[in-house]
Amino acid sequence: MAKKAKIFPIYVLNGPNLNLLGEREPEIYGRTTLADIGRMAAACAEDHGLNVEFRQSNHEGALVDWLQEARSGACGVVLNAGALTHTSVALYDACKALTVPLIEVHLSNPHAREPFRHHSFISPAAKGVICGLGVQGYLLAIDALAALLKESTK
Ligand code: DQA
Protein backbone atom coordinates (compact mmCIF):
# COMPACT_ATOMS: atom_id res chain seq x y z
CA MET A 1 0.00 0.00 0.00
CA ALA A 2 1.31 3.48 -0.91
CA LYS A 3 2.42 5.52 2.10
CA LYS A 4 0.45 8.75 2.67
CA ALA A 5 2.73 11.81 2.77
CA LYS A 6 2.75 13.49 6.20
CA ILE A 7 1.13 16.93 6.16
CA PHE A 8 2.75 19.28 8.65
CA PRO A 9 0.54 21.61 10.73
CA ILE A 10 -0.05 25.30 10.09
CA TYR A 11 1.81 27.26 12.76
CA VAL A 12 -0.37 30.09 14.12
CA LEU A 13 2.01 32.31 16.08
CA ASN A 14 1.01 35.22 18.30
CA GLY A 15 3.25 37.86 19.77
CA PRO A 16 3.30 40.14 22.84
CA ASN A 17 0.14 41.00 24.75
CA LEU A 18 -2.12 38.86 22.60
CA ASN A 19 -2.54 36.59 25.65
CA LEU A 20 -4.65 39.46 27.05
CA LEU A 21 -7.21 39.38 24.24
CA GLY A 22 -10.74 39.69 25.59
CA GLU A 23 -9.60 42.01 28.40
CA ARG A 24 -7.18 44.34 26.62
CA GLU A 25 -8.72 47.36 24.83
CA PRO A 26 -11.86 45.45 23.79
CA GLU A 27 -13.05 48.46 21.78
CA ILE A 28 -10.08 47.79 19.45
CA TYR A 29 -9.49 44.05 19.74
CA GLY A 30 -12.95 42.71 20.66
CA ARG A 31 -14.04 40.35 23.43
CA THR A 32 -12.85 37.09 21.91
CA THR A 33 -10.04 35.47 23.89
CA LEU A 34 -6.90 33.95 22.40
CA ALA A 35 -8.10 30.52 23.55
CA ASP A 36 -11.34 31.10 21.57
CA ILE A 37 -9.28 32.03 18.49
CA GLY A 38 -7.21 28.88 18.96
CA ARG A 39 -10.36 26.73 18.97
CA MET A 40 -11.79 28.52 15.91
CA ALA A 41 -8.46 28.18 14.07
CA ALA A 42 -8.33 24.43 14.85
CA ALA A 43 -11.91 23.94 13.58
CA CYS A 44 -11.20 25.95 10.42
CA ALA A 45 -8.03 23.95 9.69
CA GLU A 46 -9.88 20.69 10.33
CA ASP A 47 -12.41 21.64 7.63
CA HIS A 48 -9.44 21.63 5.23
CA GLY A 49 -8.06 18.35 6.61
CA LEU A 50 -5.24 20.24 8.35
CA ASN A 51 -4.01 20.76 11.92
CA VAL A 52 -2.80 23.89 13.66
CA GLU A 53 -0.01 24.44 16.13
CA PHE A 54 -1.29 27.51 18.02
CA ARG A 55 1.19 29.42 20.20
CA GLN A 56 1.71 32.78 21.89
CA SER A 57 4.75 34.40 23.46
CA ASN A 58 5.62 37.79 24.88
CA HIS A 59 9.28 37.14 23.95
CA GLU A 60 10.86 37.98 20.61
CA GLY A 61 13.39 35.13 20.84
CA ALA A 62 10.67 32.51 21.33
CA LEU A 63 8.94 33.74 18.17
CA VAL A 64 12.25 33.58 16.26
CA ASP A 65 12.79 29.99 17.51
CA TRP A 66 9.27 28.98 16.43
CA LEU A 67 9.68 30.55 12.99
CA GLN A 68 12.94 28.60 12.56
CA GLU A 69 11.16 25.43 13.72
CA ALA A 70 8.44 26.10 11.11
CA ARG A 71 11.07 25.79 8.34
CA SER A 72 10.99 22.03 8.74
CA GLY A 73 7.87 21.44 10.84
CA ALA A 74 5.05 23.49 9.30
CA CYS A 75 3.19 23.63 5.98
CA GLY A 76 2.59 27.37 6.44
CA VAL A 77 2.62 30.11 9.04
CA VAL A 78 0.03 32.63 10.24
CA LEU A 79 1.78 35.35 12.24
CA ASN A 80 0.31 38.11 14.36
CA ALA A 81 3.51 39.53 15.81
CA GLY A 82 1.68 42.22 17.82
CA ALA A 83 3.84 45.28 18.50
CA LEU A 84 6.98 43.42 17.31
CA THR A 85 5.54 43.83 13.81
CA HIS A 86 6.62 47.46 13.94
CA THR A 87 10.03 47.04 15.56
CA SER A 88 11.66 43.66 14.98
CA VAL A 89 14.40 43.16 12.40
CA ALA A 90 15.03 39.75 14.03
CA LEU A 91 11.49 38.66 13.14
CA TYR A 92 11.92 40.04 9.62
CA ASP A 93 15.06 37.94 9.18
CA ALA A 94 13.35 34.83 10.60
CA CYS A 95 10.36 35.37 8.29
CA LYS A 96 12.66 35.82 5.28
CA ALA A 97 14.32 32.50 6.16
CA LEU A 98 10.99 30.64 6.07
CA THR A 99 10.66 27.98 3.40
CA VAL A 100 6.85 27.82 3.69
CA PRO A 101 4.26 30.54 2.96
CA LEU A 102 3.58 33.18 5.60
CA ILE A 103 0.39 35.19 6.08
CA GLU A 104 0.61 38.25 8.34
CA VAL A 105 -2.54 38.90 10.37
CA HIS A 106 -3.74 41.75 12.58
CA LEU A 107 -7.07 41.98 14.35
CA SER A 108 -7.14 45.76 14.02
CA ASN A 109 -6.17 47.82 10.98
CA PRO A 110 -2.77 49.29 11.94
CA HIS A 111 -2.95 51.71 8.98
CA ALA A 112 -5.97 53.41 10.54
CA ARG A 113 -4.14 53.83 13.87
CA GLU A 114 -1.07 55.70 15.18
CA PRO A 115 1.65 56.42 12.58
CA PHE A 116 4.16 54.15 14.40
CA ARG A 117 1.92 51.19 13.51
CA HIS A 118 1.96 51.96 9.78
CA HIS A 119 5.28 50.23 9.11
CA SER A 120 5.53 46.44 9.28
CA PHE A 121 8.80 44.50 9.28
CA ILE A 122 6.76 41.35 8.53
CA SER A 123 4.90 42.44 5.37
CA PRO A 124 7.90 42.35 2.95
CA ALA A 125 8.43 38.69 3.88
CA ALA A 126 4.75 37.70 3.75
CA LYS A 127 2.81 36.08 0.93
CA GLY A 128 -0.23 38.07 2.06
CA VAL A 129 -1.43 40.46 4.75
CA ILE A 130 -4.88 40.49 6.38
CA CYS A 131 -5.79 43.26 8.81
CA GLY A 132 -8.80 44.96 10.31
CA LEU A 133 -11.16 41.99 10.11
CA GLY A 134 -10.85 40.83 13.71
CA VAL A 135 -10.83 37.08 14.40
CA GLN A 136 -12.07 36.43 10.85
CA GLY A 137 -8.58 37.40 9.64
CA TYR A 138 -7.05 34.29 11.24
CA LEU A 139 -9.61 32.05 9.57
CA LEU A 140 -9.16 33.71 6.17
CA ALA A 141 -5.40 33.23 6.53
CA ILE A 142 -5.89 29.51 7.20
CA ASP A 143 -8.23 29.27 4.17
CA ALA A 144 -5.57 30.98 2.05
CA LEU A 145 -2.77 28.66 3.23
CA ALA A 146 -4.98 25.60 2.61
CA ALA A 147 -5.63 26.83 -0.95
CA LEU A 148 -1.91 27.48 -1.55
CA LEU A 149 -1.02 24.04 -0.20
CA LYS A 150 -3.62 22.38 -2.45
CA GLU A 151 -2.25 24.29 -5.42
CA SER A 152 1.36 23.28 -4.64
CA THR A 153 0.52 19.57 -4.24
CA LYS A 154 -1.47 19.32 -7.52
C1 DQA B 1 -2.03 43.98 16.46
C2 DQA B 1 -1.70 45.41 16.02
C3 DQA B 1 -0.40 45.89 16.65
O1 DQA B 1 -0.14 47.23 16.25
C4 DQA B 1 -0.50 45.86 18.15
O2 DQA B 1 0.72 46.23 18.75
C5 DQA B 1 -0.97 44.54 18.68
C6 DQA B 1 -2.04 43.85 17.98
C7 DQA B 1 -3.42 43.53 15.97
O3 DQA B 1 -3.67 42.32 15.96
O4 DQA B 1 -4.26 44.37 15.60
O5 DQA B 1 -0.52 44.09 19.73
O6 DQA B 1 -1.06 43.11 15.91
Side-chain angles (χ1 to χ4, degrees):
M1 204 168 70
K3 255 197 176 169
K4 235 184 163 188
K6 181 173 163 56
I7 304 177
F8 291 111
I10 294 174
Y11 274 31
V12 182
L13 304 180
N14 296 280
N17 299 307
L18 291 166
N19 54 314
L20 297 181
L21 281 181
E23 298 167 34
R24 169 195 180 211
E25 300 181 273
E27 64 289 356
I28 296 176
Y29 299 116
R31 295 255 173 223
T32 310
T33 66
L34 195 64
D36 292 333
I37 297 177
R39 279 187 285 273
M40 290 160 88
C44 177
E46 205 185 320
D47 287 345
H48 294 290
L50 296 168
N51 293 312
V52 291
E53 183 64 39
F54 194 89
R55 301 181 188 171
Q56 186 275 334
S57 178
N58 292 328
H59 305 281
E60 187 178 31
L63 291 160
V64 170
D65 286 344
W66 294 341
L67 286 163
Q68 289 187 12
E69 190 184 299
R71 285 162 48 83
S72 56
C75 67
V77 176
V78 176
L79 175 63
N80 182 351
L84 291 172
T85 303
H86 317 299
T87 61
S88 178
V89 177
L91 282 187
Y92 168 68
D93 286 345
C95 289
K96 285 285 281 185
L98 275 173
T99 48
V100 293
L102 165 73
I103 312 282
E104 176 184 358
V105 166
H106 300 284
L107 293 154
S108 67
N109 176 0
H111 303 287
R113 300 179 63 192
E114 304 95 322
F116 64 82
R117 294 184 204 275
H118 295 181
H119 178 260
S120 166
F121 279 98
I122 310 301
S123 298
K127 176 86 183 161
V129 182
I130 301 172
C131 68
L133 300 179
V135 177
Q136 193 63 28
Y138 283 78
L139 310 182
L140 291 169
I142 290 168
D143 288 344
L145 285 175
L148 287 170
L149 191 66
K150 209 167 158 192
E151 197 57 40
S152 72
T153 50
K154 253 186 192 169

